Amino acid sequence: MATQLDLQEQEQLDALKAFWNKYGNLITWLLVLVLGAFAAWNGWNYWQREQGQKAGGMFEELERSALAGDADKTGRVFADLKANFPRTTFTEQGGLLAAKVQFEKGQTDAAKASLTWVAENAREEEIKTAARLRLAAVLTEGKLYDEALKALAGATAPGFEALVADRRGDVLSIQGKKDEARAAYQVAYAAMGEKVDYRRLIEAKLTALGVAPGSPGAAAAEAVPAVSAVAASAAAATAPGASK
């Protein structure tokens, strides 16, 4: 009986050895890959958290500088954010905030550079479009009207159609292109939600150009989607005369 059991165990061992000789290397490499991927994933998450914390700390420093009205320091911190954490939301928001302070302090070229960086490097189209709207406002202040219109041409995030059309109308109106400005304002008026206060400003612009907002020309623009809540909240920040 013992001999029979020994033979069975030996057969099982031989089968196991044969299996391992055939598939052992494959199993080992699969285990190495799985464990390596798991370690890499944990390492990536740790690195992301660490990067986010460091970027957040620098953004807080940028905020303090901005609140103090220190455009030079705000610009330096933003430069550090770009160099060390270019793919974080903190850097994108930092660029918008830095540009605001730079513009207010008369550093127009620096403000344009900050907004251009955000417009070209932000991950979300909404942030890119917000940056282009503000950039267009800064360019308009500098009488660079063609450049402002070019910046607006790249502002394509869904839900921002009304604000983009309104800003285009401002640029065209300053250029004396009344018909084109009127058409742009009509698009903006039709796309802006009826309950959004900013719509009253567009209505005033149309009235100044001799167009009743409810006229057939304005109604023809109704095909444009209504402005989103996110875009509506940006209206005050991008309005002419507001901080860019």
Side-chain angles (χ1 to χ4, degrees), residues 96-212:
L96 296 177
L97 183 55
K100 177 179 181 295
V101 179
Q102 289 163 340
F103 182 80
E104 290 173 347
K105 297 301 179 180
Q107 298 181 5
T108 305
D109 289 340
K112 286 190 291 186
S114 297
L115 290 170
T116 298
W117 186 92
V118 177
E120 293 177 350
N121 294 280
R123 292 171 297 175
E124 302 293 335
E125 282 299 320
E126 290 81 3
I127 299 297
K128 287 184 176 181
T129 293
R132 288 183 180 278
L133 279 165
R134 298 184 188 188
L135 177 59
V138 173
L139 292 168
T140 301
E141 290 281 347
K143 300 182 179 180
L144 299 172
Y145 306 124
D146 290 339
E147 290 185 33
L149 291 172
K150 184 178 179 181
L152 291 171
T156 57
F160 282 77
E161 293 87 357
L163 295 179
V164 173
D166 175 62
R167 180 53 49 83
R168 183 179 293 110
D170 292 340
V171 178
L172 293 168
S173 181
I174 293 172
Q175 288 181 296
K177 300 177 180 179
K178 302 302 182 183
D179 291 340
E180 294 178 56
R182 187 182 300 115
Y185 287 140
Q186 287 173 335
V187 170
Y189 183 82
M192 185 68 70
E194 293 183 4
K195 296 182 179 180
V196 179
D197 289 339
Y198 192 80
R199 199 181 198 218
R200 299 177 185 175
L201 179 57
I202 302 173
E203 182 176 350
K205 294 175 184 179
L206 280 170
T207 301
L209 290 174
V211 179

